[in-house]
Amino acid sequence: MAEAGNPESLESVTEDIVIEAANSANDTVTKTPATTEGMMIAYGSLVVMALLPIFIGSYRSVTSHKEQKENQEKTGEKPETMTQKDAMMFPIIASCALFGLYIFFQIFSKEYINLLLTFYFFVLGIFALAHMMSPIVLKVIPSVIPVIPFHLKFTQGEGENKESVLDYEFNTHDMVCLVLCSGVGVWYILKKHWLANDLLGLAFAVNGVELLHLNNVVTGCILLGGLFFYDIFWVFGTDVMVTVAKSFEAPIKLVFPQDLLENGLNASNFAMLGLGDIVIPGIFIALLLRYDHSLKRNSHFYFYATFFAYIAGLLTTIFVMHVYKHAQPALLYLVPACLGVPLFLALVRGDIKSMFQYEDHPETTGVDKKDD
């Protein structure tokens, strides 16, 4: 009781209350509480942004697969695809990388780490965005700009030991596209605006689904099964995943403001979805589209069935996250949907055997069989 009347103690307590009130006021100013309408717009936009890369990337993967087969026939070299061993090791490697980033954020200032990562993703993002947008941009470039071809080639070694390190052909229209996409990259570096982040994130996702090929369904099942447990452990078992996601300032996640109606483009209260929750199921869905093409039934049955299963899984994730007010491992809901639906339908339709036998690039080609 004697200490309660001490003027210094009262002054100290008063200071603490004032500081706490000021901090609370600052938090209120910087982060507007989400309204029901705002959350619906944000989550709806995230769902649309998640579906676009899977849909576009899957159809572009079919074209990419055809180009790989043509190149294989010319050169005899089998394209690089993810093997079953790669799929088994992926969750372990991803865990090491995730925990390594977590340790770095605990030891070093996140400003310095994010500065390095920003420039790294700046370069990758420009090329990814240029690759994604080139079919559209190249069509609208004025014809007054001449098409001048260039060939950039680097080799190492001499004579028979000479190997190609870089062999890239491009033209002036490609350079125009690259310059335009560089503008988005510079915008992201200078402002870290959420729209620039989403443009680069979408580019990464589309390129990932298009270019990362699972060779067969077994490999896809191993990969998704391993990452199913990976996601659950790192989200529910520790705070590692959430901490890294919040600290990592790079376009590896899609974001959309929940206070867009209140603050417009300057909104700051974001809902987010990691690119891994798009690309990992996306490369499996793309594989099923290529399998549909191999059946030659003029139908994309398994692709659309799994695509809608992904939508259901993503909506379930958002619903559970909203009800329990806690971050959710999206793959907990996406993996059972994306694996269970196509496998069950294949079993019912009698395609289960051909589905598991399908390979993008079989070990023994038709030419080999004729030679035998």
Side-chain angles (χ1 to χ4, degrees), residues 92-331:
I92 299 172
I93 296 171
S95 295
C96 293
L98 179 67
F99 191 67
L101 281 172
Y102 178 77
I103 296 298
F104 270 106
F105 280 122
Q106 300 300 315
I107 297 175
F108 303 104
S109 172
K110 71 176 184 179
E111 284 76 18
Y112 295 115
I113 299 173
N114 282 319
L115 184 63
L116 292 173
L117 293 173
T118 295
F119 282 100
Y120 175 70
F121 282 99
F122 165 72
V123 176
L124 288 181
I126 288 174
F127 283 99
L129 189 60
H131 182 262
M132 181 183 74
M133 296 301 297
S134 59
I136 300 172
V137 174
L138 296 181
K139 290 180 181 179
V140 299
I141 292 178
S143 57
V144 294
I145 300 177
V147 180
I148 304 174
F150 297 93
H151 190 179
L152 188 63
K153 188 172 184 178
F154 287 100
T155 60
Q156 64 178 11
E158 295 181 353
E160 295 180 356
N161 296 325
K162 183 179 287 187
E163 294 180 358
S164 177
V165 178
L166 178 64
D167 191 352
Y168 186 66
E169 296 182 10
F170 59 98
N171 55 47
T172 46
H173 284 196
D174 294 322
M175 294 175 68
V176 171
C177 180
L178 193 63
V179 170
L180 292 175
C181 294
S182 298
V184 177
V186 172
W187 180 26
Y188 174 75
I189 280 187
L190 296 179
K191 299 294 184 180
K192 291 291 177 70
H193 198 277
W194 60 273
L195 279 175
N197 174 90
D198 286 347
L199 285 173
L200 295 177
L202 286 170
F204 283 129
V206 169
N207 281 278
V209 176
E210 175 187 354
L211 302 175
L212 295 176
H213 288 190
L214 297 168
N215 193 42
N216 52 56
V217 172
V218 175
T219 303
C221 291
I222 294 171
L223 178 67
L224 266 67
L227 291 175
F228 172 80
F229 294 104
Y230 157 89
D231 214 20
I232 293 173
F233 174 76
W234 288 114
V235 174
F236 284 155
T238 70
D239 67 336
V240 172
M241 181 81 78
V242 176
T243 301
V244 171
K246 290 182 178 179
S247 304
F248 203 97
E249 293 180 5
I252 59 164
K253 55 183 180 285
L254 299 179
V255 298
F256 200 90
Q258 301 179 74
D259 54 337
L260 181 68
L261 298 177
E262 291 78 17
N263 298 322
L265 295 179
N266 295 318
S268 59
N269 185 7
F270 297 103
M272 68 177 70
L273 179 67
L275 294 188
D277 300 326
I278 301 171
V279 175
I280 297 302
I283 59 177
F284 185 74
I285 295 172
L287 172 65
L288 293 176
L289 178 60
R290 299 194 295 274
Y291 168 66
D292 278 327
H293 274 264
S294 73
L295 294 176
K296 298 179 180 178
R297 297 175 180 171
N298 295 322
S299 169
H300 298 158
F301 176 79
Y302 291 106
F303 167 73
Y304 282 111
T306 313
F307 186 74
F308 286 112
Y310 176 85
I311 297 174
L314 191 58
L315 292 176
T316 303
T317 305
I318 294 172
F319 173 75
V320 174
M321 183 171 61
H322 179 69
V323 170
Y324 290 98
K325 309 295 182 185
H326 188 278
Q328 296 294 313
L331 294 181

Side-chain angles (χ1 to χ4, degrees), residues 53-111:
I54 294 177
F55 192 87
I56 297 171
S58 294
Y59 276 93
R60 290 178 64 156
S61 79
V62 175
T63 305
S64 175
H65 177 237
K66 290 178 181 177
E67 292 173 353
Q68 288 180 346
K69 290 184 73 174
E70 291 172 0
N71 185 61
Q72 183 181 3
E73 291 173 359
K74 291 178 181 178
T75 63
E77 295 181 3
K78 185 178 179 180
E80 290 188 8
T81 57
M82 185 177 291
T83 64
Q84 294 181 20
K85 184 179 179 181
D86 295 333
M88 291 177 188
M89 291 299 297
F90 193 89
I92 299 172
I93 296 171
S95 295
C96 293
L98 179 67
F99 191 67
L101 281 172
Y102 178 77
I103 296 298
F104 270 106
F105 280 122
Q106 300 300 315
I107 297 175
F108 303 104
S109 172
K110 71 176 184 179
E111 284 76 18

